[in-house]
């Protein structure tokens, strides 16, 4: 594939993945001038690719347009396989199963050369089953985050002291071997982070919550970035 053909293919891929892409963004991503992008967009349109937009506003690909199977580089293939293996080892059973079927689909669309790269990948993620209960808690929290369920948890701190509270699950974050739940704690009326391996029990309350600008994962992350703190160090658990 020539450099220009490769660039045209990449433009279509970027447009597929975004609602609107400016010439400046495309030029920056592909390391060419905006004039080159304008010319490429024109040529793609003339060749039948349904691109909508205009200079200065941005471009988007009309719905319904598809391409042949994606062309991954060898490094991209290894990155995807490594990510799948990490999810299979460290997440819950639901995502692990989904990762397995995703890997099957990935192998199905790869060229023979790239499939060999995937099958020879030596990046592994061994499962030592150190925290078996975490997989169960992960699935419960992951589902609750998606459905905005209020959960009742019993939790043991680092000294073994147990406490109970209702929480609004907002997100899951991975720190080395430890998964943390980021949540809004009703008892403390503030954000708290809970290690999944320290959860004693997790039960749905039958209640639901709505994310607010000041009670959301995005707001939590913003606070962490402004204070330069890790989740557990900003607010002690309990």
């Amino acid at each position: 594939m020539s450099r220009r053909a490769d660039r045209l293919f990449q433009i279509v891929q970027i447009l597929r993945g975004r609602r609107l892409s400016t010439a400046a963004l495309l030029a920056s991503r592909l390391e060419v001038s905006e004039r080159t992008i304008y010319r490429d967009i024109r040529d793609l349109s003339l060749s039948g690719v349904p691109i909508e937009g205009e200079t200065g506003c941005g471009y988007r690909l009309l719905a319904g347009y598809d391409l042949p199977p994606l062309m991954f580089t060898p490094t991209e293939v290894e990155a995807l396989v490594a990510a799948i293996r990490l999810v299979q080892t460290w997440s819950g059973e639901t995502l692990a199963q989904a990762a397995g079927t995703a890997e099957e689909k990935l192998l199905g669309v790869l060229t023979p050369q790239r499939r060999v790269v995937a099958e020879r990948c030596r990046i592994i993620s061994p499962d030592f089953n150190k925290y078996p209960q975490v997989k169960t808690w992960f699935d419960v929290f992951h589902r609750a985050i998606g459905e905005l369920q209020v959960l009742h948890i019993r939790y043991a701190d680092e000294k073994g002291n147990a406490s109970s509270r209702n929480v609004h699950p907002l997100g899951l974050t991975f720190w080395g071997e430890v998964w943390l739940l980021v949540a809004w704690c009703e008892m403390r009326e503030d954000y708290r982070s809970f290690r999944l391996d320290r959860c004693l029990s997790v039960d749905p309350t039958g209640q639901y919550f709505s994310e607010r600008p000041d009670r959301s994962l995005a707001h939590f992350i913003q606070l962490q970035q402004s204070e330069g703190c890790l989740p557990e160090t900003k607010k002690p658990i309990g």
Side-chain angles (χ1 to χ4, degrees), residues 115-127:
R115 180 163 184 148
V116 170
V117 172
E119 292 173 340
R120 290 181 178 176
C121 179
R122 295 298 181 264
I123 301 174
I124 62 174
S125 179
D127 185 359

Side-chain angles (χ1 to χ4, degrees), residues 137 141-142 144-145 151 153 167-173 175 178-184 192-196 199 202 220 231-232 237:
W137 297 154
F141 287 134
H142 182 242
I145 290 168
L151 297 177
I153 66 172
V167 298
H168 302 182
L170 301 175
L172 290 160
T173 180
W175 295 89
V178 178
W179 277 103
L180 296 177
L181 170 73
V182 177
W184 179 266
R192 288 294 187 271
S193 300
F194 303 93
R195 283 179 51 159
L196 268 62
C199 290
V202 181
F220 174 83
E232 277 200 310
I237 297 173

Side-chain angles (χ1 to χ4, degrees), residues 159-216:
K159 295 181 181 180
N161 299 317
S163 62
S164 300
R165 75 279 307 284
N166 286 352
V167 298
H168 302 182
L170 301 175
L172 290 160
T173 180
F174 189 59
W175 295 89
E177 294 185 0
V178 178
W179 277 103
L180 296 177
L181 170 73
V182 177
W184 179 266
C185 177
E186 291 186 356
M187 182 174 70
R188 300 299 184 185
E189 295 187 345
D190 204 350
Y191 296 111
R192 288 294 187 271
S193 300
F194 303 93
R195 283 179 51 159
L196 268 62
D197 59 298
R198 292 181 182 167
C199 290
L200 303 176
S201 66
V202 181
D203 298 292
T205 64
Q207 302 173 357
Y208 296 85
F209 67 94
S210 298
E211 275 196 312
R212 298 170 13 184
D214 60 339
R215 292 187 187 180
S216 66

Side-chain angles (χ1 to χ4, degrees), residues 1-10:
M1 184 181 293
S2 69
R3 187 176 187 281
R4 183 165 188 271
D6 182 58
R7 187 175 69 247
L8 294 176
F9 180 83
Q10 290 182 61

Side-chain angles (χ1 to χ4, degrees), residues 100-133:
T101 57
E103 183 176 21
E104 293 172 356
K105 292 177 181 178
L106 173 65
L107 294 175
V109 301
L110 293 176
T111 62
Q113 296 86 353
R114 295 296 182 263
R115 180 163 184 148
V116 170
V117 172
E119 292 173 340
R120 290 181 178 176
C121 179
R122 295 298 181 264
I123 301 174
I124 62 174
S125 179
D127 185 359
F128 298 112
N129 205 30
K130 187 174 181 180
Y131 304 117
Q133 189 61 41

